[in-house]
Amino acid sequence: MIQALNSALDVMMARDPDVLTFGEDVGYFGGVFRVTEGLQQRYGATRCFDAPISEAGLVAAAIGMGAYGLRPVVEIQFADYIYPAFDQIVSEAARLRYRSAGEFTSPITIRTPYGGGIYGGQTHSQSPEALFAHVAGLKVVIPSTPHDAKGLLIAAIEEDDPVIFLEPKRIYNGPFDGHHDRPIEPWSRHPAGETPEGYYRIPLGQAAIVRSGSAVTVLAYGTMVHVALAAALESGIDAEILDLRTIWPVDIEAIVASVKKTGRCVIVHEATRTSGFGAELAALVQEHCFYHLEAPIARVTGWDTPYPHVFEWEYFPGPARVGAALRRVLEG
Amino acid sequence: MAGLLTIHPEVLLGFYRDMLLIRRFEERAGQLYGMGLIGGFCHLYIGQEAVVVGMQAALEPGDQVITGYRDHGHMLACGMEANGVMAELTGRVGGYSRGKGGSMHMFSREKQFFGGHGIVGAQVSLGTGLAFANQYRGDNRVCLAYFGDGAANQGQVYESFNMASLWKLPVIYIVENNQYAMGTSVKRSSSETHLHKRGGSFNIIGEEVDGMDVVAVRDAGLRAVAKARAGGGPTLLEMKTYRYRGHSMSDPAKYRTREEVDAVKEKSDPLEMLRKRLMDGAIADEAALKEIDREVREIVAESARFAQESPEPPESELFAHIYSEA
């Protein structure tokens, strides 16, 4: 996935001189996860460069650049570091278009690795997607494969709206199905690990059906797509799994079509449960599909705790917990 | 008065006209507020007019301006229409943001005015980004980033100083030190009260300027702008100024004495000082100044009329401009 993201940046920087990327360790070092590797050599230090450890300041600088027509891609080294910039993201980037009645916009992309499963403890494992989905004016994207990551990042950079692009860092190097005690499978053995050369885009706001089924709909994104696939396989339940890919705007049509077909719905995310994005999804499903539901909607999520270092695998919603939820809604 | 001998009389008269327009506009805004035609927040610029008028005179077309929430004066100085500003205050569709921004949030691409920002200090970092874009594009533009003495204590201001100096960005930081952050005096909030020294550890040269003297402001602005345009990086200008009215319309102003306010008005009112210079230097006579006053009053009266006659935005505006239309 790292190479795919790198390729997306490379493609866009080659196509559009207004695209530039910066962040902490992004230039010379090539990014702490190597996503920007080689870009400074290729495009120079004016277009790919290091920023001080000043998240508020550097995100704000990007918003200013964007207001003047550039398309900056900012990297926040870990999503856990994004909070100092929250003010700028919420009060400036998200609202500039509205309060200027369309005079100025914020065509910026903020890329940031998020999520757990890497023994990062509470400041390197968080899943803050719901905080951003809650803010009108922002778009929130979470890919689950290298193929999607590249196409979605290209689309995000081309967006005229600010995009929070959350990269599930646990699956940077290979799909992870939650079985932490098994060897890591590399992306090279996964069909969606293959990334076409050059330019292609996956429009924001479109979910993908990654597994067709008739018994129950699973709504997932990021790492949890792979966990859900494992849970379906291991439980033998004919689940239809939707990878939302874009959290906001959410593909409500795809969700409704699937839930009306299956009559059951399980929502899976890694973030804490209360006011998580699953709560929004559950509300949308009951608003649109109430008379089609055969069982209460189930949520499988992280617990309402800070990310617990030593209890990582108790916190992380693995295939066993997802499988249990699948069985529960089928009994309901 | 600095630079008086080198400045064209017409330019000085223009300063007087622009400063007077801001003052009369703000007085009228205060009246409309009192009449209940403007709701919410409204921060008047009266007393500080020389700062924006002097700085604007140091700019070339295409240069950018960004500021905080006490922004009406900046917009008028940029050449934005009084009608559009006043109608935004009253929340009408003829306002610069179609009534959806309000007093603190107006913009003009044509005049390169980038707002109007209600979060204290946030615009300083945005202005740094604008300056970055200028440098990136090589278009020889500079950005003025205004903020107040209160914002001078925000962390991101210093993050911006560091980046701007590190990357030699064409930005002028202008701290309008009117001595009170809402009700807190600089002395009660700042360990270093000489705010122009605050750039020192970032190698940003600071200059203290008499912000009540429009020519001194312009001269300092010209120096800073020339340096920025030549690739010399940012300058920090501390404008010593004073606001006559409350922080906003709801300010009881218990934190300073009437005597203090009156003394400033008496001794260093920017308009009176300029008026005296114009008269003493025989640049303008009473009749000429009266004519300017008449012209300004007409513009302001028209803006007040427009701001009441322009309709409220249609309900469809509620959901417009949240995302791109595509």
Side-chain angles (χ1 to χ4, degrees), chain B residues 16-309:
Chain B
Y16 183 77
R17 182 250 176 221
D18 293 349
M19 286 163 60
L20 192 65
L21 174 62
I22 294 171
R23 176 145 319 176
R24 296 284 176 259
F25 181 94
E26 292 291 64
E27 288 168 351
R28 195 58 180 266
Q31 284 169 5
L32 294 185
Y33 195 97
M35 292 159 66
L37 289 163
I38 296 171
F41 295 84
C42 186
H43 309 89
L44 301 181
Y45 196 64
I46 297 172
Q48 302 180 211
E49 298 91 342
V51 177
V52 288
V53 171
M55 284 306 301
Q56 197 68 29
L59 297 183
E60 298 291 334
D63 289 339
Q64 302 130 335
V65 173
I66 188 165
T67 188
Y69 48 79
R70 194 177 305 285
D71 56 355
H72 310 160
H74 302 70
M75 293 186 278
L76 295 173
C78 282
M80 289 167 67
E81 299 285 339
N83 281 8
V85 179
M86 198 69 94
E88 188 65 33
L89 297 181
T90 53
R92 304 304 171 92
V93 74
Y96 269 102
S97 296
R98 301 178 70 77
K100 301 199 296 185
S103 166
M104 300 179 279
H105 311 116
M106 289 180 237
F107 302 81
S108 167
R109 180 177 295 280
E110 185 200 347
K111 301 295 180 190
Q112 288 292 292
F113 180 74
F114 285 77
H117 296 268
I119 302 291
V120 176
Q123 78 281 2
V124 179
S125 315
L126 299 186
T128 306
L130 288 166
F132 183 96
N134 294 338
Q135 186 188 65
Y136 186 87
R137 292 228 155 122
D139 59 14
N140 211 28
R141 294 178 176 190
V142 304
C143 176
L144 302 187
Y146 289 91
F147 56 108
D149 45 279
N153 290 325
Q154 278 280 5
Q156 60 179 307
V157 169
Y158 299 94
E159 298 183 8
S160 302
F161 283 5
N162 184 41
M163 288 186 275
S165 185
L166 180 69
W167 298 331
K168 291 273 176 287
L169 301 182
V171 58
I172 323 294
Y173 296 112
I174 303 151
V175 52
E176 296 191 64
N177 183 356
N178 65 21
Q179 305 175 38
Y180 294 93
M182 209 177 287
T184 303
S185 67
V186 173
K187 281 190 197 107
R188 281 190 284 120
S189 65
S190 302
S191 53
E192 172 53 82
T193 57
H194 296 97
L195 301 179
H196 62 280
K197 293 184 181 171
R198 293 276 189 93
S201 49
F202 305 97
N203 293 320
I204 295 179
I205 290 173
E207 191 179 333
E208 186 180 88
V209 183
D210 179 358
M212 306 303 254
D213 178 347
V214 66
V215 180
V217 171
R218 186 207 62 158
D219 289 353
L222 284 172
R223 286 191 293 275
V225 166
K227 180 183 167 194
R229 240 191 267 286
T235 302
L236 172 61
L237 299 178
E238 179 186 1
M239 300 291 172
K240 300 288 277 189
T241 184
Y242 200 79
R243 76 170 143 71
Y244 293 0
R245 299 291 183 92
H247 163 75
S248 66
M249 303 306 288
S250 56
D251 178 358
K254 294 257 169 75
Y255 46 84
R256 59 185 186 186
T257 62
R258 179 171 286 277
E259 290 72 33
E260 178 184 309
V261 181
D262 288 345
V264 176
K265 287 184 184 173
E266 184 107 347
K267 288 181 198 139
S268 50
D269 180 69
L271 267 162
E272 275 311 310
M273 280 170 39
L274 181 55
R275 182 187 170 85
K276 190 168 182 310
R277 299 282 172 172
L278 289 169
M279 303 278 281
D280 291 355
I283 293 166
D285 58 12
E286 195 72 40
L289 297 183
K290 271 207 171 126
E291 174 54 25
I292 292 175
D293 196 48
R294 191 197 57 73
E295 180 217 345
V296 161
R297 280 179 193 282
E298 229 166 69
I299 294 169
V300 170
E302 162 60 16
S303 76
R305 188 195 60 74
F306 180 76
Q308 293 171 70
E309 286 180 1

Side-chain angles (χ1 to χ4, degrees), chain A residues 44-296:
Chain A
T46 323
R47 297 188 62 198
C48 175
F49 56 94
D50 299 317
I53 302 178
S54 310
E55 287 84 5
L58 69 92
V59 166
I63 299 167
M65 296 174 196
Y68 196 41
L70 300 185
R71 292 187 179 273
V73 183
V74 175
E75 176 179 301
I76 299 292
Q77 202 163 73
F78 285 84
D80 314 71
Y81 304 171
I82 208 167
Y83 306 124
F86 204 58
D87 175 39
Q88 287 289 349
I89 295 168
V90 173
S91 298
E92 306 295 336
R95 272 81 191 255
L96 193 57
R97 177 189 294 277
Y98 195 78
R99 72 165 175 259
S100 69
E103 190 86 345
F104 290 107
T105 61
S106 198
I108 70 168
T109 304
I110 300 174
R111 288 184 39 246
T112 186
Y114 90 105
I118 64 145
Y119 310 100
Q122 53 178 257
T123 59
H124 294 75
S125 306
Q126 294 170 74
S127 298
E129 68 273 14
L131 299 177
F132 299 106
H134 188 61
V135 178
L138 296 179
K139 293 183 174 174
V140 184
V141 176
I142 303 180
S144 72
T145 66
H147 178 270
D148 285 1
K150 180 173 173 181
L152 287 166
L153 182 55
I154 286 173
I157 296 170
E158 289 183 333
E159 269 296 315
D160 286 334
D161 296 311
V163 179
I164 309 296
F165 194 92
L166 295 164
E167 299 166 5
K169 59 183 174 292
R170 173 67 219 220
I171 57 171
Y172 264 155
N173 294 313
F176 175 65
D177 62 8
H179 289 293
H180 56 94
D181 43 359
R182 295 184 191 166
I184 296 168
E185 187 197 353
W187 277 117
S188 54
R189 282 195 230 133
H190 190 282
E194 218 161 287
T195 310
E197 293 278 314
Y199 174 91
Y200 67 96
R201 51 179 281 142
I202 295 174
L204 305 191
Q206 291 184 11
I209 298 170
V210 293
R211 183 188 192 282
S212 294
S214 58
V216 50
T217 298
V218 179
L219 305 179
Y221 47 89
T223 306
M224 289 302 132
V225 171
H226 305 281
V227 173
L229 281 165
L233 187 72
E234 290 161 22
S235 65
I237 291 170
D238 187 23
E240 177 148 294
I241 299 173
L242 260 65
D243 176 359
L244 298 182
R245 303 199 291 192
T246 303
I247 298 305
W248 202 262
V250 74
D251 189 349
I252 188 67
E253 283 166 26
I255 293 171
V256 169
S258 179
V259 174
K260 282 188 174 172
K261 183 176 78 174
T262 63
R264 292 175 164 85
C265 182
V266 172
I267 298 161
V268 191
H269 63 61
E270 205 180 317
T272 48
R273 184 180 184 86
T274 301
S275 298
F277 194 65
E280 181 61 35
L281 289 171
L284 286 170
V285 168
Q286 76 86 18
E287 279 166 20
H288 287 86
C289 313
F290 186 74
Y291 294 106
H292 293 79
L293 287 172
E294 311 269 352

